Amino acid sequence: LAGLVEESHQTKPRPRYTEASLVKEMEDRGIGRPSTYATIIKTLLDRSYVEKQNGALMPTFVGYGVCQYLEDSFGKFIDYDFTKHMEEGLDQIATASEDELTFLRSFFEGADGLEAFIKAAKPVPGKDSRKLRLPQISEENPIYLGPYGCFVTKPAEGEEKPEYISIPSEWMPGTVTDQMVKELISKGKETKAASLNEEIGEGIT
């Protein structure tokens, strides 16, 4: 023990994907084709699932929420290996070594088919289904996805209604902290977007 030397070490989070590193990751995992990569990235940006910041692709709250829903309800179909095997199946169809109807039936029908997963999927409407499970955000003040932006709620006091407070548009899932949310709730500032979220919230609870 006398010879041990104490050294400090700090781990660094994995860097965010850039367009180039995301394409390389898909290539390494056997996902997609070179002709599809540009379309995939364009779709991510067009649907606001990610935003570009200094060249990096930053997941948005919408993107996080979509991934959360897909993982909860369609985990099998967004698994990396499933996507890779799907590509292999399509290649076999192209070379006539796999029958396309047999392939489609195995994909869609049966207990493990897409049809069964769709029937069992949780409904999208409802306040609880809109709650984001961000690991750094406590259960006391969760962030919700609303049709007019993300929001948090300030608990009702007495006979008052809960207050719906919009999340600032510049906040991102990867950088928001529990303290930031708590401070936002304590200020209790409500915007027009939050008022619209309240109307929707009352209609879906």
Side-chain angles (χ1 to χ4, degrees):
L1 294 177
L4 295 178
V5 178
E6 182 179 346
E7 294 183 359
S8 62
H9 176 70
Q10 293 183 342
T11 59
K12 294 183 179 180
R14 181 177 176 176
R16 297 290 182 185
Y17 284 116
T18 62
E19 291 189 23
S21 63
L22 180 58
V23 167
K24 185 178 185 306
E25 183 73 15
M26 288 191 288
E27 287 177 335
D28 291 343
R29 292 183 179 273
I31 297 173
R33 293 289 185 272
S35 60
T36 66
Y37 294 145
T39 302
I40 290 172
I41 293 174
K42 184 177 185 300
T43 299
L44 293 174
L45 292 167
D46 289 348
R47 296 185 181 179
S48 298
Y49 294 158
V50 297
E51 288 183 6
K52 266 189 179 182
Q53 291 187 2
N54 298 321
L57 299 174
M58 301 289 289
T60 64
F61 288 107
V62 172
Y64 195 98
V66 169
C67 284
Q68 179 178 291
Y69 177 74
L70 291 175
E71 288 172 352
D72 288 347
S73 302
F74 301 95
K76 169 187 173 181
F77 298 98
I78 61 171
D79 181 77
Y80 294 126
D81 288 337
F82 176 86
T83 306
K84 179 180 179 179
H85 293 152
M86 172 66 76
E87 296 283 356
E88 293 172 352
L90 295 175
D91 286 342
Q92 292 172 357
I93 291 173
T95 59
S97 58
E98 171 73 51
D99 177 67
E100 62 266 29
L101 290 180
T102 302
F103 181 84
L104 287 173
R105 286 195 182 98
S106 66
F107 167 74
F108 190 72
E109 299 176 352
D112 292 328
L114 178 60
E115 183 179 32
F117 277 76
I118 292 174
K119 291 179 179 178
K122 300 173 183 177
V124 175
K127 189 176 178 182
D128 287 342
S129 67
R130 296 174 182 270
K131 182 167 68 174
L132 299 178
R133 297 191 301 271
L134 296 169
Q136 75 275 26
I137 304 299
S138 67
E139 281 293 317
E140 285 76 26
N141 41 254
I143 295 175
Y144 295 92
L145 277 177
Y148 301 99
C150 292
F151 64 96
V152 292
T153 59
K154 184 175 182 179
E157 296 181 3
E159 296 182 357
E160 295 180 358
K161 292 182 178 180
E163 187 175 355
Y164 291 73
I165 307 166
S166 290
I167 292 291
S169 59
E170 66 271 16
W171 285 15
M172 302 292 277
T175 54
V176 65
T177 66
D178 201 50
Q179 186 60 34
M180 291 166 62
V181 174
K182 288 178 180 177
E183 291 177 359
L184 182 68
I185 292 174
S186 67
K187 292 177 182 178
K189 292 182 178 179
E190 187 173 355
T191 65
K192 181 179 179 182
S195 297
L196 292 170
N197 276 322
E198 179 175 2
E199 294 176 11
I200 297 297
E202 291 179 348
I204 62 179
T205 52

